[in-house]
Each structure stands twice: as structure tokens, then as C-alpha cells.
């Protein structure tokens, strides 16, 4: 029987690209968890296959609905689970802190608790990937590479929610021997990146300006941050290799890994790169106080030693190619008449 992988948050950038990777590189079937009202933009290229149930299908449920998650786990019983669903926007989390904490912490607990109970009843024993975030490290000291043992520092409700998610993944692995592992992905981008994130909103605004939907002015927030960038398509490859390694018993239950790019940029450098790819030469950049967070994770440099010693992986897509692909993504979307909000 063909093995199944459940991807929660399949409509997001990373979830949809993980689905693409699984369908292109493995024989496994994909089941995507989504709420019925979520936008399908990142899955339109797969809707024909979804309609035909050609190795990919959808399950409608909400992480906060315990009984719906219970029904999903009982019915599907996937061999692999990649738990990516979350309220994933740090700045937005300052406005909706309770929803962020509820979805990311309690939603993750709902998933893991249902797996635990089914394991006790009939021995169900999947490999479970819990997606945390590099935001758990918060405001780090400049000049220090973040390793997996760096102290957590909650710098937003989102960051705090991911600290809870991270600890839940570790706890259920250590306490109940569920084959969990936790990933803390650094800044990642490329096609399908949501426009609420820095480099994507810059690329989107450039594309809007080129199409004459916006005056030649880009609005940005805090530019003092320095961080590594990686393409999300590299990250999902790491996710899958870790799933395989865990199934093979090469990863202890509850283990945790940084996954980050190895090219670092100050945010003004990212703007310069994207502007250099534009067809316009008259674009100005303006700092907008409304785009600032109360606290920012303004230094994120990572140590990838642990993951590179566990699986045969390293980032392969150059950052400049990632930025070009991101800009072209927005150009293509806008050319189709999909005019995004200016945010």
C-alpha cells in the first residue's frame, strides 16, 4: 500500500512547495489539511490532480477543533505528518495574540494528543515533523551564530507561540516516544511567499510600480535587521530528508534542528538587489512607522552544523536567484489581474 504524508497548512508557501516536492520526487500520496475558506492560490496548479484524487487530496478541518482532528487522524492514519499550519505572521501576532497562541500552541497539542491516544489504542506510530521557527531565539546578540542550544527569547506573541510549539514537539517525543522532530527554519523566501514578509512586500511593491498600479515609492519598516536567507524549496527538501531519517531510526524522538540559509544580508542590501532587478530606475524607499514591530528579531545568523551532520543537505539555490524568482512571481500574479493589497 502506498504510504501517505499529511501536510497541515498545505495552502501556504512552504506547505504547497512540500506537496510539490513529494509528488515530484517520491511515490507517496499527499493529504493536505486546510480550512474550507482558505485561499487556494498556491494550489491552483494542483487542482486538476486534487479533483481526480491523483495522489493528492484535501481534508477540511481546523486545528482548534479537537474532534475534527481526531476524525482526521483515525481515518487517514498517515505514515508521515508534516505539521506546518500556524498563524505565521510575527507582526500580525501583536494584533491577534490570543488567536496566535491558541492556533499555534493548542492546535499543535490537539494534533499530538490525538496521535498519542491512537498510539496507545492500536499502536499507530507515524513520523511527525513539528515546524517551529527561528523566531524562538528572538532578539539575539549581534555577532553570535545561533545554534540549537541558544537560549530562547520571545520577541512577539508569534515567537512565544512557537516556543510553546517547539517544546510540545520535544515533550511528546521524549515522554510518549512519538517519533517527533522539530525544525527551526530561518528566513525563507521565493515564489508564493506571503506579502506580509519584508522581502516579499518589497518585491510586490516593485511589481506594482512596474505595472503602474503604485507610485514609484516603496514603503518599508525596520531596516536594521541582518539575517540569513534561504529558498523555501531548499527547506522542504531538508524536511523530507529528516522525515526519512527519522523513519530509519537515525533521529532520537523529540530532536530539534536549525534549518537556515548560509548567505547573509542586511535588509537595505535586499532592497538594493531587488531594485537592481527592476525595469524602473525612479523608485524611492520610505520608512513607514506603521510597519514596525514593538520588538524585532533584528539579528539572525545560524549554525547549520547539526542538520548537516545528520542528513546530506545544504542550501543549493542562490539567494539572488530566490529574489529574482520572488519578483517574477509577483509580476506574473499582477499580469493575471490579481492586484494585491498594499500592505
Amino acid at each position: 500500500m502506498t504510504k501517505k504524508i499529511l501536510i497541515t497548512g498545505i495552502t501556504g508557501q512552504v506547505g504547497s512547495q512540500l506537496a510539490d516536492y513529494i509528488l515530484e520526487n517520491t511515490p507517496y500520496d499527499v493529504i493536505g489539511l486546510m480550512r474550507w475558506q482558505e485561499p487556494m492560490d498556491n494550489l491552483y496548479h494542483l487542482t486538476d490532480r486534487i479533483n481526480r484524487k491523483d495522489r493528492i487530496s484535501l481534508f477540511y478541518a481546523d486545528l482548534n477543533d479537537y474532534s475534527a482532528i481526531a476524525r482526521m487522524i483515525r481515518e487517514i492514519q498517515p505514515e508521515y505528518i508534516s505539521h506546518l499550519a500556524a498563524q505565521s505572521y510575527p507582526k500580525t501576532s501583536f494584533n491577534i495574540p490570543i488567536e496566535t497562541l491558541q492556533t499555534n500552541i493548542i492546535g499543535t497539542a490537539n494534533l499530538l494528543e490525538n496521535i498519542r491516544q491512537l498510539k496507545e489504542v492500536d499502536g499507530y506510530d507515524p513520523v511527525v515533523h513539528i515546524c517551529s521557527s527561528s523566531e524562538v531565539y528572538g532578539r539575539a546578540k549581534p555577532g553570535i551564530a545561533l545554534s540549537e542550544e541558544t537560549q530562547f527569547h520571545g520577541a512577539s506573541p508569534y515567537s512565544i507561540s512557537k516556543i510553546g510549539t517547539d517544546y510540545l514537539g520535544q515533550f511528546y517525543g521524549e515522554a510518549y516516544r512519538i517519533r517527533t522532530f522539530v525544525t527551526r527554519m530561518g528566513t525563507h523566501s521565493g515564489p508564493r511567499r506571503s506579502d506580509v514578509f519584508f522581502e516579499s512586500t518589497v518585491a510586490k511593491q516593485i511589481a506594482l510600480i512596474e505595472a503602474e498600479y503604485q507610485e514609484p515609492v516603496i514603503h518599508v519598516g525596520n531596516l536594521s535587521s541582518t539575517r540569513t536567507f534561504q529558498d523555501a524549496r531548499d527547506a522542504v527538501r531538508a524536511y523530507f530528508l529528516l522525515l526519512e531519517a527519522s523513519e530509519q531510526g537515525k533521529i532520537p524522538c523529540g530532536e530539534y534542528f536549525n534549518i537556515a540559509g548560509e548567505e547573509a544580508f542586511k535588509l537595505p542590501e535586499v532592497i538594493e538587489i531587488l531594485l537592481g532587478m527592476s525595469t524602473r530606475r525612479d523608485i524611492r524607499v520610505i520608512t513607514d512607522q506603521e510597519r514596525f514591530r514593538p520588538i524585532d528579531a533584528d539579528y539572525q545568523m545560524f549554525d547549520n552544523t547539526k542538520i548537516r551532520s545528520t542528513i546530506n543537505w545544504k542550501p543549493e539555490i542562490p539567494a539572488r536567484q530566490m529574489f529574482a524568482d520572488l519578483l517574477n512571481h509577483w509580476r506574473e500574479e499582477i499580469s493575471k489581474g490579481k492586484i494585491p493589497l498594499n500592505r
Side-chain angles (χ1 to χ4, degrees), residues 2-290:
T2 303
K3 291 183 178 180
K4 301 183 291 292
I5 176 169
L6 169 68
I7 302 174
T8 74
I10 195 171
T11 60
Q13 178 201 16
V14 179
S16 63
Q17 289 178 345
L18 178 58
D20 288 343
Y21 183 90
I22 298 297
L23 294 171
E24 292 169 10
N25 296 281
T26 82
Y28 305 148
D29 288 343
V30 173
I31 299 95
L33 169 65
M34 64 175 289
R35 293 169 297 181
W36 70 267
Q37 74 273 33
E38 285 184 56
M40 289 283 293
D41 301 60
N42 293 334
L43 294 179
Y44 276 131
H45 64 294
L46 294 174
T47 50
D48 179 54
R49 295 188 68 167
I50 294 170
N51 288 339
R52 293 186 285 111
K53 292 186 170 52
D54 176 17
R55 293 184 54 213
I56 180 169
S57 59
L58 299 175
F59 194 103
Y60 296 101
D62 190 308
L63 284 173
N64 290 313
D65 186 336
Y66 185 88
S67 62
I69 298 303
R71 179 169 60 87
M72 176 184 69
I73 296 298
R74 285 197 309 270
E75 291 182 7
I76 300 172
Q77 295 199 26
E79 286 79 8
Y80 305 105
I81 297 173
S82 188
H83 175 42
L84 309 179
Q87 193 302 95
S88 59
Y89 307 145
K91 186 175 184 300
T92 301
S93 73
F94 289 100
N95 296 323
I96 53 169
I98 306 305
E99 178 182 340
T100 300
L101 296 169
Q102 175 72 35
T103 299
N104 296 359
I105 298 177
I106 302 303
T108 299
N110 284 342
L111 177 67
L112 288 169
E113 184 61 16
N114 272 295
I115 293 169
R116 181 190 71 82
Q117 292 188 22
L118 196 58
K119 180 177 181 178
E120 290 183 354
V121 170
D122 67 3
Y124 175 56
D125 189 26
V127 174
V128 185
H129 164 212
I130 300 297
C131 184
S132 180
S133 169
S134 63
E135 289 277 337
V136 298
Y137 301 117
R139 178 171 284 176
K141 294 180 180 179
I144 298 176
L146 301 173
S147 76
E148 285 80 359
E149 306 312 317
T150 299
Q151 183 176 349
F152 290 169
H153 179 184
S156 67
Y158 171 75
S159 172
I160 294 166
S161 75
K162 281 300 187 178
I163 291 172
T165 298
D166 200 298
Y167 281 141
L168 281 168
Q170 294 180 55
F171 169 74
Y172 273 82
E174 294 172 2
Y176 303 118
R177 311 310 299 165
I178 294 173
R179 291 185 291 171
T180 62
F181 66 87
V182 177
T183 59
R184 302 166 186 164
M185 180 158 54
T187 301
H188 54 282
S189 197
R192 308 178 199 167
R193 176 71 155 165
S194 172
D195 66 341
V196 299
F197 295 104
F198 168 76
E199 75 291 343
S200 191
T201 194
V202 171
K204 176 196 69 176
Q205 290 182 74
I206 290 172
L208 285 168
I209 291 166
E210 290 176 343
E212 299 187 349
Y213 287 109
Q214 181 172 322
E215 293 297 313
V217 177
I218 291 175
H219 297 264
V220 298
N222 175 26
L223 296 180
S224 65
S225 179
T226 299
R227 57 188 59 207
T228 58
F229 282 84
Q230 69 175 323
D231 196 293
R233 292 165 291 190
D234 275 332
V236 299
R237 181 166 48 86
Y239 287 173
F240 178 73
L241 292 173
L242 287 169
L243 284 164
E244 285 194 321
S246 183
E247 182 184 43
Q248 296 162 6
K250 297 178 181 178
I251 298 176
C253 297
E255 195 60 277
Y256 41 91
F257 300 91
N258 288 340
I259 304 177
E262 297 175 349
E263 295 181 81
F265 301 91
K266 296 178 180 178
L267 296 191
E269 294 175 324
V270 174
I271 296 175
E272 289 179 12
I273 291 170
L274 288 165
L275 286 176
M277 297 173 179
S278 176
T279 59
R280 296 283 293 264
R281 291 293 176 263
D282 59 341
I283 300 175
R284 295 181 297 119
V285 179
I286 293 179
T287 300
D288 182 349
Q289 291 295 323
E290 291 186 1

